[in-house]
């Protein structure tokens, strides 16, 4: 078995199907709209590559995608803290703080 440093030793806390977050229809729509714009930007970059666009132009568009993803992450993180984290702390589930710290560390890589 290969040693993979990117994989957590205990994968029981990374299951995406165990926890859910209920969002308002407006919040869901805003997040999906952001992702749709990012997806369009990615398709645009692929098109630039297919047309042999100048490297610097592609890099600038790539930087714009990174900024858009970071903006999406900030929005979602803020919502997560105000809803899920606050709720769990109020319910005495202090382990959510460790989860939040780990998430922030991943976002800051």
């Amino acid at each position: 078995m290969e040693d993979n440093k990117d994989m957590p030793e205990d994968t029981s806390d990374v299951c995406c199907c165990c926890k859910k977050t209920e969002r308002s229809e407006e919040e869901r729509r805003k997040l999906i709209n952001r992702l749709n714009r990012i997806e369009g930007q990615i398709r645009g970059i692929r098109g630039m590559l297919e047309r042999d666009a100048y490297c610097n132009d592609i890099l600038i568009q790539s930087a714009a995608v990174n900024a858009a993803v970071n903006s999406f992450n900030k929005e979602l993180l803020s919502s997560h803290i105000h809803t899920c984290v606050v709720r769990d702390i109020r319910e005495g589930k202090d382990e959510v703080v460790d989860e939040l710290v780990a998430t922030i560390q991943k976002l800051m890589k």
Side-chain angles (χ1 to χ4, degrees):
M1 187 162 116
E2 289 184 25
D3 181 29
N4 190 340
K5 294 178 183 176
D6 293 333
M7 293 292 295
E9 290 178 22
D10 177 20
T11 58
S12 63
D13 62 333
V14 294
C15 175
C16 295
C17 60
C18 301
K19 293 182 178 183
K20 297 199 181 220
T21 299
E22 295 207 16
R23 294 177 179 84
S24 70
E25 190 58 38
E26 180 182 0
E27 181 182 7
R28 183 179 299 110
R29 183 181 45 78
K30 285 181 179 179
L31 290 170
I32 288 172
N33 285 343
R34 281 178 179 261
L35 289 176
N36 287 339
R37 283 192 298 274
I38 292 166
E39 185 179 24
Q41 288 176 296
I42 295 290
R43 282 194 307 268
I45 292 171
R46 185 179 57 224
M48 292 174 78
L49 280 170
E50 290 168 350
R51 292 186 306 277
D52 293 325
Y54 185 56
C55 296
N56 194 61
D57 294 339
I58 296 171
L59 289 168
I60 289 169
Q61 290 306 310
S62 178
V65 168
N66 283 335
V69 169
N70 285 336
S71 180
F72 173 85
N73 287 341
K74 285 189 255 184
E75 185 74 26
L76 191 56
L77 180 62
S78 174
S79 174
H80 178 59
I81 291 168
H82 284 97
T83 58
C84 305
V85 174
V86 168
R87 178 200 63 221
D88 286 354
I89 289 173
R90 287 180 179 157
E91 292 175 0
K93 299 176 186 172
D94 293 339
E95 64 273 8
V96 73
V97 174
D98 293 331
E99 177 188 74
L100 177 61
V101 168
T103 298
I104 291 171
Q105 288 172 342
K106 288 176 184 176
L107 288 171
M108 294 177 71
K109 279 187 176 181

